[in-house]
Amino acid sequence: MKKLFLTLLAVIATSLAGVAQISLDDAYTSLVNLPGMTEKKVDNVQLTPDAVITNLTSVVCKAPRYSQEFVYTYESLPINNMLIGANNQKEMACAFTEPSDNGVYNVFFIVGEKGGQMVAAYGQTNAAGVEAIRNCDVSMEGDSLIMAVAPQIDVVEVITMEYAQK
């Protein structure tokens, strides 16, 4: 009886873990709706000659008390949708994707500094854009995340997401 109960408990916990995962749109919306958030529209970002991130918007969290919400959101996203993830014990950066409609993919980024400002960005791209993000070189230098996308020889596009230092 004890084994049956523990097995049932494990099945329920596994099921609830799957339900706890949220969509990228819901993740971004939950962050935008936090008190005091500032949202801005970002220009389209050209990744490669045939890939662009469109409809890109971002939200900045300057209040350290809400930075935990960004981390909670990150932890609620399906790990199998993560394209990149970086953490150097001072800064963190991650990019997630999920398919939408007609070959369009939603993309979601979180960039932040331990105990400091957090930035989330949300937009759309195509399959080529997803591959460009997945295969980019990621570095964290000073107050910015740099993703260098090299689609072909002699062409390097650099995407920089900056946040202010304290």
mmCIF file of all heavy atoms in Angstrom, residues 80-133:
data_model
loop_
_atom_site.group_PDB
_atom_site.id
_atom_site.type_symbol
_atom_site.label_atom_id
_atom_site.label_comp_id
_atom_site.label_asym_id
_atom_site.label_seq_id
_atom_site.Cartn_x
_atom_site.Cartn_y
_atom_site.Cartn_z
ATOM 1 N N ASN A 80 13.422 22.215 -22.293
ATOM 2 C CA ASN A 80 13.663 21.739 -23.662
ATOM 3 C C ASN A 80 13.467 22.850 -24.693
ATOM 4 O O ASN A 80 13.828 22.679 -25.847
ATOM 5 C CB ASN A 80 12.792 20.523 -23.990
ATOM 6 C CG ASN A 80 11.323 20.803 -23.846
ATOM 7 O OD1 ASN A 80 10.924 21.648 -23.050
ATOM 8 N ND2 ASN A 80 10.511 20.086 -24.587
ATOM 9 N N ASN A 81 12.938 24.008 -24.285
ATOM 10 C CA ASN A 81 12.803 25.151 -25.195
ATOM 11 C C ASN A 81 13.966 26.137 -25.078
ATOM 12 O O ASN A 81 13.971 27.160 -25.742
ATOM 13 C CB ASN A 81 11.490 25.900 -24.919
ATOM 14 C CG ASN A 81 10.276 25.104 -25.340
ATOM 15 O OD1 ASN A 81 10.388 24.052 -25.951
ATOM 16 N ND2 ASN A 81 9.110 25.599 -25.007
ATOM 17 N N MET A 82 14.952 25.828 -24.224
ATOM 18 C CA MET A 82 16.077 26.741 -24.045
ATOM 19 C C MET A 82 17.057 26.609 -25.203
ATOM 20 O O MET A 82 17.477 25.514 -25.561
ATOM 21 C CB MET A 82 16.806 26.461 -22.732
ATOM 22 C CG MET A 82 17.955 27.430 -22.471
ATOM 23 S SD MET A 82 18.891 27.053 -20.974
ATOM 24 C CE MET A 82 17.849 27.829 -19.760
ATOM 25 N N LEU A 83 17.414 27.758 -25.777
ATOM 26 C CA LEU A 83 18.409 27.789 -26.846
ATOM 27 C C LEU A 83 19.801 28.024 -26.287
ATOM 28 O O LEU A 83 20.758 27.377 -26.690
ATOM 29 C CB LEU A 83 18.090 28.908 -27.847
ATOM 30 C CG LEU A 83 16.815 28.762 -28.641
ATOM 31 C CD1 LEU A 83 16.581 30.008 -29.482
ATOM 32 C CD2 LEU A 83 16.868 27.533 -29.527
ATOM 33 N N ILE A 84 19.918 29.009 -25.410
ATOM 34 C CA ILE A 84 21.194 29.310 -24.764
ATOM 35 C C ILE A 84 20.949 29.597 -23.291
ATOM 36 O O ILE A 84 19.881 30.042 -22.904
ATOM 37 C CB ILE A 84 21.934 30.508 -25.414
ATOM 38 C CG1 ILE A 84 21.075 31.776 -25.358
ATOM 39 C CG2 ILE A 84 22.395 30.191 -26.807
ATOM 40 C CD1 ILE A 84 21.789 33.030 -25.795
ATOM 41 N N GLY A 85 21.946 29.353 -22.496
ATOM 42 C CA GLY A 85 21.895 29.680 -21.080
ATOM 43 C C GLY A 85 23.305 29.944 -20.607
ATOM 44 O O GLY A 85 24.204 29.171 -20.907
ATOM 45 N N ALA A 86 23.488 31.049 -19.921
ATOM 46 C CA ALA A 86 24.820 31.406 -19.438
ATOM 47 C C ALA A 86 24.688 32.015 -18.050
ATOM 48 O O ALA A 86 23.741 32.740 -17.768
ATOM 49 C CB ALA A 86 25.485 32.397 -20.390
ATOM 50 N N ASN A 87 25.644 31.705 -17.202
ATOM 51 C CA ASN A 87 25.650 32.214 -15.844
ATOM 52 C C ASN A 87 27.097 32.224 -15.379
ATOM 53 O O ASN A 87 27.755 31.197 -15.388
ATOM 54 C CB ASN A 87 24.805 31.305 -14.952
ATOM 55 C CG ASN A 87 24.756 31.759 -13.526
ATOM 56 O OD1 ASN A 87 25.576 32.536 -13.056
ATOM 57 N ND2 ASN A 87 23.780 31.251 -12.805
ATOM 58 N N ASN A 88 27.582 33.393 -14.981
ATOM 59 C CA ASN A 88 28.963 33.460 -14.487
ATOM 60 C C ASN A 88 29.019 33.869 -13.014
ATOM 61 O O ASN A 88 29.984 34.462 -12.573
ATOM 62 C CB ASN A 88 29.798 34.405 -15.353
ATOM 63 C CG ASN A 88 29.353 35.849 -15.253
ATOM 64 O OD1 ASN A 88 28.477 36.191 -14.465
ATOM 65 N ND2 ASN A 88 29.948 36.702 -16.060
ATOM 66 N N GLN A 89 27.962 33.563 -12.284
ATOM 67 C CA GLN A 89 27.809 33.866 -10.859
ATOM 68 C C GLN A 89 27.588 35.349 -10.590
ATOM 69 O O GLN A 89 27.339 35.730 -9.458
ATOM 70 C CB GLN A 89 28.999 33.354 -10.031
ATOM 71 C CG GLN A 89 29.262 31.874 -10.189
ATOM 72 C CD GLN A 89 28.058 31.026 -9.794
ATOM 73 O OE1 GLN A 89 27.439 31.244 -8.774
ATOM 74 N NE2 GLN A 89 27.724 30.055 -10.616
ATOM 75 N N LYS A 90 27.701 36.205 -11.604
ATOM 76 C CA LYS A 90 27.388 37.627 -11.461
ATOM 77 C C LYS A 90 26.231 38.006 -12.384
ATOM 78 O O LYS A 90 25.354 38.750 -11.993
ATOM 79 C CB LYS A 90 28.611 38.478 -11.797
ATOM 80 C CG LYS A 90 29.679 38.453 -10.725
ATOM 81 C CD LYS A 90 30.920 39.227 -11.098
ATOM 82 C CE LYS A 90 30.607 40.568 -11.692
ATOM 83 N NZ LYS A 90 31.766 41.330 -12.124
ATOM 84 N N GLU A 91 26.275 37.526 -13.602
ATOM 85 C CA GLU A 91 25.230 37.800 -14.577
ATOM 86 C C GLU A 91 24.634 36.491 -15.063
ATOM 87 O O GLU A 91 25.288 35.449 -15.011
ATOM 88 C CB GLU A 91 25.776 38.557 -15.794
ATOM 89 C CG GLU A 91 26.335 39.916 -15.487
ATOM 90 C CD GLU A 91 27.853 39.916 -15.391
ATOM 91 O OE1 GLU A 91 28.486 38.882 -15.636
ATOM 92 O OE2 GLU A 91 28.405 40.955 -15.038
ATOM 93 N N MET A 92 23.386 36.577 -15.542
ATOM 94 C CA MET A 92 22.756 35.417 -16.160
ATOM 95 C C MET A 92 22.137 35.865 -17.469
ATOM 96 O O MET A 92 21.772 37.024 -17.633
ATOM 97 C CB MET A 92 21.686 34.794 -15.268
ATOM 98 C CG MET A 92 20.433 35.634 -15.113
ATOM 99 S SD MET A 92 19.080 34.769 -14.305
ATOM 100 C CE MET A 92 18.375 33.899 -15.659
ATOM 101 N N ALA A 93 22.050 34.940 -18.393
ATOM 102 C CA ALA A 93 21.411 35.209 -19.674
ATOM 103 C C ALA A 93 20.851 33.907 -20.214
ATOM 104 O O ALA A 93 21.474 32.853 -20.077
ATOM 105 C CB ALA A 93 22.422 35.782 -20.663
ATOM 106 N N CYS A 94 19.670 33.996 -20.788
ATOM 107 C CA CYS A 94 19.086 32.808 -21.391
ATOM 108 C C CYS A 94 18.176 33.214 -22.537
ATOM 109 O O CYS A 94 17.694 34.343 -22.596
ATOM 110 C CB CYS A 94 18.319 31.983 -20.369
ATOM 111 S SG CYS A 94 16.994 32.886 -19.558
ATOM 112 N N ALA A 95 17.988 32.301 -23.456
ATOM 113 C CA ALA A 95 17.084 32.502 -24.588
ATOM 114 C C ALA A 95 16.259 31.237 -24.757
ATOM 115 O O ALA A 95 16.797 30.126 -24.711
ATOM 116 C CB ALA A 95 17.874 32.787 -25.864
ATOM 117 N N PHE A 96 14.966 31.416 -24.920
ATOM 118 C CA PHE A 96 14.028 30.316 -25.107
ATOM 119 C C PHE A 96 13.266 30.534 -26.407
ATOM 120 O O PHE A 96 13.111 31.663 -26.863
ATOM 121 C CB PHE A 96 13.008 30.260 -23.965
ATOM 122 C CG PHE A 96 13.576 29.838 -22.652
ATOM 123 C CD1 PHE A 96 14.179 30.757 -21.810
ATOM 124 C CD2 PHE A 96 13.491 28.517 -22.243
ATOM 125 C CE1 PHE A 96 14.697 30.371 -20.589
ATOM 126 C CE2 PHE A 96 14.009 28.119 -21.018
ATOM 127 C CZ PHE A 96 14.612 29.056 -20.192
ATOM 128 N N THR A 97 12.763 29.447 -26.974
ATOM 129 C CA THR A 97 11.929 29.542 -28.159
ATOM 130 C C THR A 97 10.814 28.518 -28.084
ATOM 131 O O THR A 97 10.942 27.512 -27.383
ATOM 132 C CB THR A 97 12.741 29.319 -29.449
ATOM 133 O OG1 THR A 97 11.905 29.582 -30.579
ATOM 134 C CG2 THR A 97 13.264 27.910 -29.546
ATOM 135 N N GLU A 98 9.734 28.800 -28.803
ATOM 136 C CA GLU A 98 8.646 27.844 -28.968
ATOM 137 C C GLU A 98 7.968 28.147 -30.296
ATOM 138 O O GLU A 98 7.898 29.308 -30.708
ATOM 139 C CB GLU A 98 7.647 27.901 -27.812
ATOM 140 C CG GLU A 98 6.889 29.190 -27.710
ATOM 141 C CD GLU A 98 6.023 29.300 -26.471
ATOM 142 O OE1 GLU A 98 6.098 28.422 -25.587
ATOM 143 O OE2 GLU A 98 5.275 30.289 -26.386
ATOM 144 N N PRO A 99 7.495 27.117 -30.997
ATOM 145 C CA PRO A 99 6.836 27.358 -32.275
ATOM 146 C C PRO A 99 5.506 28.072 -32.074
ATOM 147 O O PRO A 99 4.815 27.861 -31.083
ATOM 148 C CB PRO A 99 6.636 25.959 -32.853
ATOM 149 C CG PRO A 99 6.765 25.028 -31.709
ATOM 150 C CD PRO A 99 7.579 25.708 -30.659
ATOM 151 N N SER A 100 5.177 28.934 -33.027
ATOM 152 C CA SER A 100 3.880 29.615 -33.021
ATOM 153 C C SER A 100 3.092 29.096 -34.217
ATOM 154 O O SER A 100 2.819 27.912 -34.278
ATOM 155 C CB SER A 100 4.100 31.133 -33.084
ATOM 156 O OG SER A 100 2.886 31.826 -32.972
ATOM 157 N N ASP A 101 2.788 29.940 -35.184
ATOM 158 C CA ASP A 101 2.039 29.525 -36.373
ATOM 159 C C ASP A 101 2.826 29.796 -37.649
ATOM 160 O O ASP A 101 3.610 30.741 -37.713
ATOM 161 C CB ASP A 101 0.710 30.288 -36.456
ATOM 162 C CG ASP A 101 -0.234 29.961 -35.322
ATOM 163 O OD1 ASP A 101 -0.223 28.806 -34.867
ATOM 164 O OD2 ASP A 101 -0.973 30.869 -34.899
ATOM 165 N N ASN A 102 2.593 28.996 -38.656
ATOM 166 C CA ASN A 102 3.114 29.230 -40.006
ATOM 167 C C ASN A 102 4.616 29.480 -40.060
ATOM 168 O O ASN A 102 5.080 30.417 -40.701
ATOM 169 C CB ASN A 102 2.371 30.393 -40.663
ATOM 170 C CG ASN A 102 0.890 30.139 -40.747
ATOM 171 O OD1 ASN A 102 0.460 29.017 -40.988
ATOM 172 N ND2 ASN A 102 0.097 31.181 -40.548
ATOM 173 N N GLY A 103 5.399 28.678 -39.359
ATOM 174 C CA GLY A 103 6.853 28.802 -39.410
ATOM 175 C C GLY A 103 7.413 29.923 -38.558
ATOM 176 O O GLY A 103 8.591 30.243 -38.655
ATOM 177 N N VAL A 104 6.589 30.530 -37.726
ATOM 178 C CA VAL A 104 7.033 31.603 -36.832
ATOM 179 C C VAL A 104 7.337 31.004 -35.466
ATOM 180 O O VAL A 104 6.638 30.109 -34.998
ATOM 181 C CB VAL A 104 5.939 32.698 -36.707
ATOM 182 C CG1 VAL A 104 6.328 33.744 -35.685
ATOM 183 C CG2 VAL A 104 5.671 33.333 -38.059
ATOM 184 N N TYR A 105 8.392 31.487 -34.847
ATOM 185 C CA TYR A 105 8.784 31.038 -33.510
ATOM 186 C C TYR A 105 8.814 32.241 -32.573
ATOM 187 O O TYR A 105 9.333 33.299 -32.928
ATOM 188 C CB TYR A 105 10.176 30.394 -33.535
ATOM 189 C CG TYR A 105 10.212 29.096 -34.273
ATOM 190 C CD1 TYR A 105 10.332 29.070 -35.660
ATOM 191 C CD2 TYR A 105 10.115 27.887 -33.593
ATOM 192 C CE1 TYR A 105 10.352 27.864 -36.347
ATOM 193 C CE2 TYR A 105 10.142 26.685 -34.266
ATOM 194 C CZ TYR A 105 10.256 26.685 -35.646
ATOM 195 O OH TYR A 105 10.281 25.500 -36.323
ATOM 196 N N ASN A 106 8.254 32.068 -31.385
ATOM 197 C CA ASN A 106 8.379 33.082 -30.338
ATOM 198 C C ASN A 106 9.738 32.905 -29.683
ATOM 199 O O ASN A 106 10.189 31.775 -29.489
ATOM 200 C CB ASN A 106 7.284 32.918 -29.287
ATOM 201 C CG ASN A 106 5.908 33.160 -29.857
ATOM 202 O OD1 ASN A 106 5.719 33.996 -30.732
ATOM 203 N ND2 ASN A 106 4.931 32.425 -29.369
ATOM 204 N N VAL A 107 10.392 34.012 -29.355
ATOM 205 C CA VAL A 107 11.668 33.970 -28.650
ATOM 206 C C VAL A 107 11.571 34.856 -27.420
ATOM 207 O O VAL A 107 10.896 35.888 -27.428
ATOM 208 C CB VAL A 107 12.863 34.399 -29.541
ATOM 209 C CG1 VAL A 107 13.160 33.356 -30.587
ATOM 210 C CG2 VAL A 107 12.638 35.749 -30.171
ATOM 211 N N PHE A 108 12.233 34.429 -26.361
ATOM 212 C CA PHE A 108 12.175 35.121 -25.074
ATOM 213 C C PHE A 108 13.565 35.111 -24.464
ATOM 214 O O PHE A 108 14.215 34.067 -24.418
ATOM 215 C CB PHE A 108 11.172 34.388 -24.170
ATOM 216 C CG PHE A 108 11.028 34.963 -22.793
ATOM 217 C CD1 PHE A 108 10.406 36.178 -22.584
ATOM 218 C CD2 PHE A 108 11.503 34.268 -21.699
ATOM 219 C CE1 PHE A 108 10.251 36.692 -21.306
ATOM 220 C CE2 PHE A 108 11.351 34.766 -20.408
ATOM 221 C CZ PHE A 108 10.727 35.986 -20.222
ATOM 222 N N PHE A 109 14.027 36.276 -24.042
ATOM 223 C CA PHE A 109 15.348 36.419 -23.445
ATOM 224 C C PHE A 109 15.210 36.976 -22.033
ATOM 225 O O PHE A 109 14.363 37.833 -21.784
ATOM 226 C CB PHE A 109 16.207 37.414 -24.239
ATOM 227 C CG PHE A 109 16.391 37.064 -25.679
ATOM 228 C CD1 PHE A 109 15.509 37.527 -26.648
ATOM 229 C CD2 PHE A 109 17.460 36.290 -26.078
ATOM 230 C CE1 PHE A 109 15.686 37.217 -27.981
ATOM 231 C CE2 PHE A 109 17.648 35.965 -27.410
ATOM 232 C CZ PHE A 109 16.758 36.432 -28.362
ATOM 233 N N ILE A 110 16.058 36.512 -21.130
ATOM 234 C CA ILE A 110 16.207 37.132 -19.810
ATOM 235 C C ILE A 110 17.693 37.371 -19.593
ATOM 236 O O ILE A 110 18.509 36.472 -19.779
ATOM 237 C CB ILE A 110 15.665 36.254 -18.670
ATOM 238 C CG1 ILE A 110 14.150 36.098 -18.773
ATOM 239 C CG2 ILE A 110 16.016 36.872 -17.311
ATOM 240 C CD1 ILE A 110 13.537 35.252 -17.669
ATOM 241 N N VAL A 111 18.015 38.609 -19.224
ATOM 242 C CA VAL A 111 19.392 38.995 -18.951
ATOM 243 C C VAL A 111 19.377 39.754 -17.633
ATOM 244 O O VAL A 111 18.497 40.596 -17.411
ATOM 245 C CB VAL A 111 19.942 39.918 -20.062
ATOM 246 C CG1 VAL A 111 21.373 40.316 -19.770
ATOM 247 C CG2 VAL A 111 19.832 39.248 -21.417
ATOM 248 N N GLY A 112 20.320 39.467 -16.760
ATOM 249 C CA GLY A 112 20.322 40.206 -15.510
ATOM 250 C C GLY A 112 21.594 40.067 -14.714
ATOM 251 O O GLY A 112 22.450 39.241 -15.008
ATOM 252 N N GLU A 113 21.675 40.917 -13.712
ATOM 253 C CA GLU A 113 22.831 40.959 -12.833
ATOM 254 C C GLU A 113 22.391 40.557 -11.432
ATOM 255 O O GLU A 113 21.333 40.989 -10.959
ATOM 256 C CB GLU A 113 23.372 42.389 -12.814
ATOM 257 C CG GLU A 113 24.533 42.592 -11.899
ATOM 258 C CD GLU A 113 24.959 44.058 -11.863
ATOM 259 O OE1 GLU A 113 24.172 44.927 -12.246
ATOM 260 O OE2 GLU A 113 26.080 44.297 -11.421
ATOM 261 N N LYS A 114 23.184 39.764 -10.772
ATOM 262 C CA LYS A 114 22.869 39.319 -9.409
ATOM 263 C C LYS A 114 22.661 40.543 -8.512
ATOM 264 O O LYS A 114 23.537 41.394 -8.393
ATOM 265 C CB LYS A 114 24.004 38.457 -8.872
ATOM 266 C CG LYS A 114 23.758 37.904 -7.497
ATOM 267 C CD LYS A 114 24.905 37.014 -7.075
ATOM 268 C CE LYS A 114 24.679 36.438 -5.702
ATOM 269 N NZ LYS A 114 25.788 35.584 -5.300
ATOM 270 N N GLY A 115 21.467 40.619 -7.924
ATOM 271 C CA GLY A 115 21.143 41.729 -7.047
ATOM 272 C C GLY A 115 20.919 43.046 -7.758
ATOM 273 O O GLY A 115 20.790 44.082 -7.124
ATOM 274 N N GLY A 116 20.872 43.015 -9.091
ATOM 275 C CA GLY A 116 20.732 44.258 -9.856
ATOM 276 C C GLY A 116 19.589 44.209 -10.831
ATOM 277 O O GLY A 116 18.602 43.502 -10.650
ATOM 278 N N GLN A 117 19.743 44.945 -11.876
ATOM 279 C CA GLN A 117 18.701 45.103 -12.883
ATOM 280 C C GLN A 117 18.518 43.848 -13.728
ATOM 281 O O GLN A 117 19.483 43.156 -14.032
ATOM 282 C CB GLN A 117 19.086 46.282 -13.783
ATOM 283 C CG GLN A 117 18.054 46.623 -14.818
ATOM 284 C CD GLN A 117 18.374 47.957 -15.453
ATOM 285 O OE1 GLN A 117 18.314 48.978 -14.785
ATOM 286 N NE2 GLN A 117 18.721 47.954 -16.717
ATOM 287 N N MET A 118 17.271 43.573 -14.101
ATOM 288 C CA MET A 118 16.938 42.441 -14.964
ATOM 289 C C MET A 118 16.213 42.982 -16.190
ATOM 290 O O MET A 118 15.450 43.944 -16.097
ATOM 291 C CB MET A 118 16.027 41.453 -14.235
ATOM 292 C CG MET A 118 16.570 40.899 -12.932
ATOM 293 S SD MET A 118 17.970 39.802 -13.152
ATOM 294 C CE MET A 118 17.160 38.294 -13.616
ATOM 295 N N VAL A 119 16.445 42.341 -17.342
ATOM 296 C CA VAL A 119 15.796 42.713 -18.593
ATOM 297 C C VAL A 119 15.212 41.454 -19.220
ATOM 298 O O VAL A 119 15.864 40.413 -19.246
ATOM 299 C CB VAL A 119 16.805 43.353 -19.584
ATOM 300 C CG1 VAL A 119 16.135 43.674 -20.909
ATOM 301 C CG2 VAL A 119 17.451 44.584 -18.982
ATOM 302 N N ALA A 120 13.973 41.560 -19.705
ATOM 303 C CA ALA A 120 13.352 40.473 -20.462
ATOM 304 C C ALA A 120 12.940 41.039 -21.815
ATOM 305 O O ALA A 120 12.517 42.196 -21.906
ATOM 306 C CB ALA A 120 12.141 39.909 -19.735
ATOM 307 N N ALA A 121 13.074 40.241 -22.862
ATOM 308 C CA ALA A 121 12.683 40.662 -24.205
ATOM 309 C C ALA A 121 11.919 39.528 -24.873
ATOM 310 O O ALA A 121 12.207 38.351 -24.632
ATOM 311 C CB ALA A 121 13.910 41.039 -25.024
ATOM 312 N N TYR A 122 10.949 39.896 -25.702
ATOM 313 C CA TYR A 122 10.075 38.917 -26.346
ATOM 314 C C TYR A 122 9.805 39.371 -27.777
ATOM 315 O O TYR A 122 9.568 40.543 -28.029
ATOM 316 C CB TYR A 122 8.765 38.827 -25.562
ATOM 317 C CG TYR A 122 7.729 37.914 -26.169
ATOM 318 C CD1 TYR A 122 7.858 36.536 -26.065
ATOM 319 C CD2 TYR A 122 6.632 38.426 -26.827
ATOM 320 C CE1 TYR A 122 6.899 35.692 -26.611
ATOM 321 C CE2 TYR A 122 5.667 37.589 -27.371
ATOM 322 C CZ TYR A 122 5.808 36.227 -27.264
ATOM 323 O OH TYR A 122 4.868 35.386 -27.798
ATOM 324 N N GLY A 123 9.893 38.423 -28.710
ATOM 325 C CA GLY A 123 9.615 38.734 -30.115
ATOM 326 C C GLY A 123 9.397 37.462 -30.915
ATOM 327 O O GLY A 123 9.211 36.384 -30.341
ATOM 328 N N GLN A 124 9.445 37.595 -32.232
ATOM 329 C CA GLN A 124 9.240 36.459 -33.130
ATOM 330 C C GLN A 124 10.365 36.385 -34.159
ATOM 331 O O GLN A 124 10.949 37.401 -34.516
ATOM 332 C CB GLN A 124 7.894 36.573 -33.872
ATOM 333 C CG GLN A 124 6.674 36.303 -33.014
ATOM 334 C CD GLN A 124 6.349 37.431 -32.070
ATOM 335 O OE1 GLN A 124 6.442 38.584 -32.427
ATOM 336 N NE2 GLN A 124 5.980 37.091 -30.836
ATOM 337 N N THR A 125 10.624 35.160 -34.611
ATOM 338 C CA THR A 125 11.608 34.930 -35.661
ATOM 339 C C THR A 125 11.189 33.701 -36.457
ATOM 340 O O THR A 125 10.144 33.115 -36.209
ATOM 341 C CB THR A 125 13.035 34.779 -35.070
ATOM 342 O OG1 THR A 125 13.993 34.834 -36.132
ATOM 343 C CG2 THR A 125 13.200 33.494 -34.278
ATOM 344 N N ASN A 126 12.028 33.306 -37.399
ATOM 345 C CA ASN A 126 11.763 32.094 -38.189
ATOM 346 C C ASN A 126 12.747 30.996 -37.780
ATOM 347 O O ASN A 126 13.557 31.181 -36.872
ATOM 348 C CB ASN A 126 11.851 32.405 -39.689
ATOM 349 C CG ASN A 126 13.209 32.951 -40.103
ATOM 350 O OD1 ASN A 126 14.187 32.863 -39.366
ATOM 351 N ND2 ASN A 126 13.270 33.526 -41.285
ATOM 352 N N ALA A 127 12.685 29.860 -38.452
ATOM 353 C CA ALA A 127 13.561 28.728 -38.110
ATOM 354 C C ALA A 127 15.034 29.098 -38.251
ATOM 355 O O ALA A 127 15.869 28.682 -37.447
ATOM 356 C CB ALA A 127 13.219 27.520 -38.974
ATOM 357 N N ALA A 128 15.355 29.902 -39.257
ATOM 358 C CA ALA A 128 16.744 30.339 -39.430
ATOM 359 C C ALA A 128 17.190 31.204 -38.254
ATOM 360 O O ALA A 128 18.343 31.132 -37.817
ATOM 361 C CB ALA A 128 16.902 31.106 -40.747
ATOM 362 N N GLY A 129 16.288 32.009 -37.724
ATOM 363 C CA GLY A 129 16.595 32.832 -36.557
ATOM 364 C C GLY A 129 16.847 31.993 -35.320
ATOM 365 O O GLY A 129 17.750 32.278 -34.534
ATOM 366 N N VAL A 130 16.037 30.952 -35.146
ATOM 367 C CA VAL A 130 16.227 30.041 -34.017
ATOM 368 C C VAL A 130 17.607 29.397 -34.098
ATOM 369 O O VAL A 130 18.337 29.340 -33.106
ATOM 370 C CB VAL A 130 15.107 28.972 -33.974
ATOM 371 C CG1 VAL A 130 15.428 27.887 -32.960
ATOM 372 C CG2 VAL A 130 13.764 29.616 -33.679
ATOM 373 N N GLU A 131 17.989 28.937 -35.274
ATOM 374 C CA GLU A 131 19.311 28.323 -35.451
ATOM 375 C C GLU A 131 20.431 29.319 -35.218
ATOM 376 O O GLU A 131 21.462 28.989 -34.635
ATOM 377 C CB GLU A 131 19.435 27.678 -36.836
ATOM 378 C CG GLU A 131 18.695 26.377 -36.959
ATOM 379 C CD GLU A 131 19.094 25.359 -35.894
ATOM 380 O OE1 GLU A 131 20.304 25.087 -35.730
ATOM 381 O OE2 GLU A 131 18.194 24.835 -35.212
ATOM 382 N N ALA A 132 20.244 30.564 -35.667
ATOM 383 C CA ALA A 132 21.272 31.592 -35.468
ATOM 384 C C ALA A 132 21.474 31.858 -33.979
ATOM 385 O O ALA A 132 22.610 31.975 -33.512
ATOM 386 C CB ALA A 132 20.883 32.870 -36.197
ATOM 387 N N ILE A 133 20.381 31.940 -33.218
ATOM 388 C CA ILE A 133 20.496 32.162 -31.776
ATOM 389 C C ILE A 133 21.148 30.952 -31.111
ATOM 390 O O ILE A 133 22.053 31.096 -30.287
ATOM 391 C CB ILE A 133 19.119 32.454 -31.152
ATOM 392 C CG1 ILE A 133 18.565 33.770 -31.690
ATOM 393 C CG2 ILE A 133 19.213 32.493 -29.627
ATOM 394 C CD1 ILE A 133 17.099 33.999 -31.387
#
